[in-house]
Amino acid sequence: MRRKLAAGNWKMNGTSAALAELEALSAAPADANTDILICPPATLITRAAQVVSDTSVYIGGQDCHAATSGAHTGDIAADMLIDAGASHVILGHSERREDHGERNEDVRTKAQTAWDSGLVTVICVGETLSEREADNTLDIIGGQLAGSIPDAATGENLVVAYEPVWAIGTGKVPTLAQIGDVHDFIRMRLERRFGEGVGRTVPVLYGGSVKPTNATEIFSVSNVDGALVGGASLKAADFQPIIDALAAS
Ligand code: PEP
């Protein structure tokens, strides 16, 4: 059985005071089949890891560099994330692809480096609105999967997040049928490339304007194993009902 994952991406939000939200999340009763991941800004990772130690909440980075160390001002190496207490890293988020020009091959190299360090990667894929309107969604997703995921994927080192770019932070959500079509396609591509054993065990998350009000219906869609949540992960009062909806699904 695939494990469920509720992942929160705090993006460039949160200073010390935000750790109280993490304390509230980690104090809630855990569900044995549902993992919780919070990816705070890098400045909070060490303290966040201390807050969640001895709980079932994982801490992750929002990016790492493709190199293991060196002259890369402002960047973070995978080993540094591990050292700070992270177990996961988000890679290829559309904001990184857009703001930093990250291409599929960059994401793939970063993912291999992250795996070599022992991190679990949450690799993001998703189409823009114009790509969807041009009926290119599955071609785009297929290309991103093929280009961004290294060959050594397993059910333990990889999570895929389907995040339509036009749904991120906009309040717009695809129909359940649209989500289902893409998630079924991702599952099919994972099984075809990595074999059924691996392909069936990689969790596939949906991301894009997930809220307490729509979480239950999104989690009812086949091959949706959880969510990558931005805005609604910043407050425990918003994220906890999403976690609860996933646990109940
Ligand atoms: C995200 O950025 O990964 C995301 C899904 O954001 P939001 O939930 O705010 O749409």
Side-chain angles (χ1 to χ4, degrees):
M1 195 173 88
R2 285 189 297 278
R3 292 192 61 74
K4 304 175 194 176
L5 176 62
N9 174 13
W10 284 5
K11 310 189 185 189
M12 201 171 70
N13 297 294
T15 52
S16 307
L19 295 170
E21 303 299 330
L22 207 46
E23 273 168 30
L25 286 176
S26 47
D31 173 70
N33 297 318
T34 306
D35 293 327
I36 302 167
L37 167 68
I38 294 292
C39 299
T43 47
L44 289 180
I45 289 177
T46 304
R47 279 176 292 162
Q50 286 162 358
V51 168
V52 304
S53 67
D54 299 327
T55 77
S56 55
V57 180
Y58 295 99
I59 297 299
Q62 298 174 12
D63 178 51
C64 70
H65 199 276
T68 53
S69 65
H72 303 288
T73 302
D75 279 315
I76 300 178
D79 276 352
M80 294 172 182
L81 292 177
I82 295 267
D83 184 53
S87 53
H88 292 62
V89 64
I90 299 171
L91 292 175
H93 191 282
S94 60
E95 288 155 13
R96 299 277 326 168
R97 292 179 188 261
E98 173 73 22
D99 295 355
H100 300 270
E102 288 189 4
R103 302 156 303 164
N104 292 330
E105 52 265 43
D106 301 316
V107 178
R108 187 186 187 112
T109 316
K110 288 178 177 209
Q112 187 59 59
T113 305
W115 290 349
D116 291 344
S117 294
L119 291 166
V120 179
T121 55
V122 180
I123 296 185
C124 303
V125 297
E127 81 286 0
T128 62
L129 188 57
S130 58
E131 288 164 345
R132 176 162 282 277
E133 286 172 347
D135 218 8
N136 283 334
T137 298
L138 297 186
D139 281 348
I140 294 294
I141 303 295
Q144 290 174 333
L145 291 171
S148 304
I149 303 175
D151 290 331
T154 69
E156 284 74 48
N157 66 15
L158 176 64
V159 175
V160 172
Y162 166 54
E163 299 207 303
V165 179
W166 51 274
I168 294 178
T170 59
K172 292 182 192 153
V173 181
T175 65
L176 300 186
Q178 287 172 326
I179 294 174
D181 285 348
V182 177
H183 278 246
D184 289 350
F185 173 80
I186 292 172
R187 180 73 56 212
M188 183 266 290
R189 283 295 171 97
L190 291 172
E191 289 182 10
R192 196 164 86 182
R193 179 166 167 208
F194 300 110
E196 282 190 4
V198 170
R200 278 191 189 158
T201 51
V202 173
V204 181
L205 313 183
Y206 168 77
S209 297
V210 177
K211 309 276 177 227
T213 46
N214 60 18
T216 296
E217 60 177 19
I218 290 171
F219 296 145
S220 73
V221 177
S222 79
N223 282 314
V224 174
D225 304 310
L228 179 55
V229 183
S233 71
L234 294 173
K235 295 281 172 213
D238 295 326
F239 198 40
Q240 190 62 53
I242 295 173
I243 297 167
D244 293 342
L246 181 60
S249 67

